[in-house]
Amino acid sequence: MQIDRNEVLRYLRCYNEELLDSAILNMVDECIAEIGQIARESSTYAVFEISGRGEEHVELGGAGIVLRGRSIAEHLADCDTCAVMAATLGGEVDRRIRTYSKTDLTRSIVLDSCATAGIESVCDICEESIKQLASEQGYGTNFRFSPGYGDMPLDVQPQILRALDAYRRIGLTVTESLILVPRKSVTAIVGFTKNKERSRRTCAICSMNGKCEYQKRGMTCGS
């Protein structure tokens, strides 16, 4: 896992580093180092065939997963196979953020942003493994698509974790209110495709499209 300082600043909505106090920048560097010490990053994934689909759903054969929503149906429109992945930084990161929230709120916010950049880095590493597997099978991949993107509901999280045996493999669970625990965790779907155009992430699927602060600055929140 590598945490990019610029990514952390982006999550903190600090768009011009030159305007920041040196104390804050030092805190960012300290928190990046702290995440490196306390995180127990891990990930897992499995590949499933798409066994059924409609305009607003996709069924994954043998997984017991039904992905609902027009956005995910469009995302996997030209795929007959996809990978389902999950990644986490582990529980100590959550505990440390909670502790700082009671003693040093600024450090808690900075550490939270470092952790967010960190879990994205872990996802990137997992996604690279998926890309390698897809390549060996003659496919490219589209970008990872998480529950909550577009109109894909979060209530698929329990199905995903069961299919991946995620608690046993990486200690990842979900609450009745559909919050992943540990909090700094991600699940996502990556389609296997031969359509190169589908590999590019787009703002069009995002619920913030047209009202996003990144877009106003000519930026995107994705890689």
Side-chain angles (χ1 to χ4, degrees):
M1 175 182 66
Q2 291 187 334
I3 300 177
D4 187 310
R5 188 199 216 194
N6 290 327
E7 283 294 286
V8 175
L9 295 177
R10 192 165 62 87
Y11 286 121
L12 287 169
R13 299 191 175 188
C14 298
Y15 303 109
N16 189 340
E17 184 175 335
E18 294 179 355
L19 299 179
L20 292 175
D21 187 285
S22 60
I24 291 295
L25 293 174
N26 289 336
M27 184 181 291
V28 169
D29 292 338
E30 291 169 2
C31 287
I32 288 173
E34 187 167 355
I35 291 294
Q37 293 169 356
I38 64 176
R40 296 293 178 268
E41 64 266 33
S42 56
S43 63
T44 186
Y45 71 89
V47 176
F48 300 100
E49 292 185 357
I50 294 174
S51 57
R53 68 173 79 238
E55 290 186 357
E56 296 186 0
H57 80 278
V58 177
E59 300 170 27
L60 305 188
I65 299 176
V66 179
L67 306 170
R68 299 192 182 281
R70 187 176 294 273
S71 298
I72 187 64
E74 292 176 353
H75 187 65
L76 297 176
D78 59 1
C79 304
D80 53 22
T81 305
C82 68
V84 180
M85 58 171 281
T88 183
L89 292 186
E92 181 56 31
V93 172
D94 290 356
R95 286 188 284 274
R96 196 67 62 93
I97 292 171
R98 282 198 302 272
T99 297
Y100 283 141
S101 71
K102 299 173 184 175
T103 60
D104 186 339
L105 184 58
T106 301
R107 185 171 291 272
S108 171
I109 293 170
V110 172
L111 192 69
D112 188 285
S113 295
C114 291
T116 299
I119 188 60
E120 289 301 316
S121 173
V122 175
C123 287
D124 288 344
I125 294 169
C126 183
E127 188 176 350
E128 282 302 314
S129 297
I130 293 170
K131 287 180 179 178
Q132 179 62 38
L133 177 63
S135 177
E136 292 170 0
Q137 297 177 6
Y139 290 93
T141 59
N142 57 22
F143 60 88
R144 59 180 186 260
F145 194 109
S146 289
Y149 284 7
D151 62 351
M152 183 177 173
L154 291 173
D155 63 9
V156 73
Q157 297 284 32
Q159 296 175 43
I160 289 175
L161 298 194
R162 280 196 297 273
L164 293 177
D165 195 11
Y167 178 71
R168 186 180 65 81
R169 290 182 176 177
I170 61 173
L172 181 57
T173 61
V174 62
T175 67
E176 291 184 355
S177 54
L178 304 174
I179 296 172
L180 293 175
V181 178
R183 295 288 296 271
K184 292 302 178 184
S185 303
V186 168
T187 63
I189 315 298
V190 179
F192 287 21
T193 179
K194 295 187 177 181
N195 183 351
K196 294 182 179 178
E197 292 298 316
R198 302 288 293 181
S199 66
R200 292 201 291 265
R201 190 186 299 270
T202 172
C203 296
I205 64 164
C206 182
S207 60
M208 294 299 291
N209 188 27
K211 49 188 177 183
C212 170
E213 289 297 321
Y214 296 116
Q215 283 181 318
K216 292 176 183 175
R217 292 171 171 78
M219 304 162 63
T220 69
C221 67
S223 56

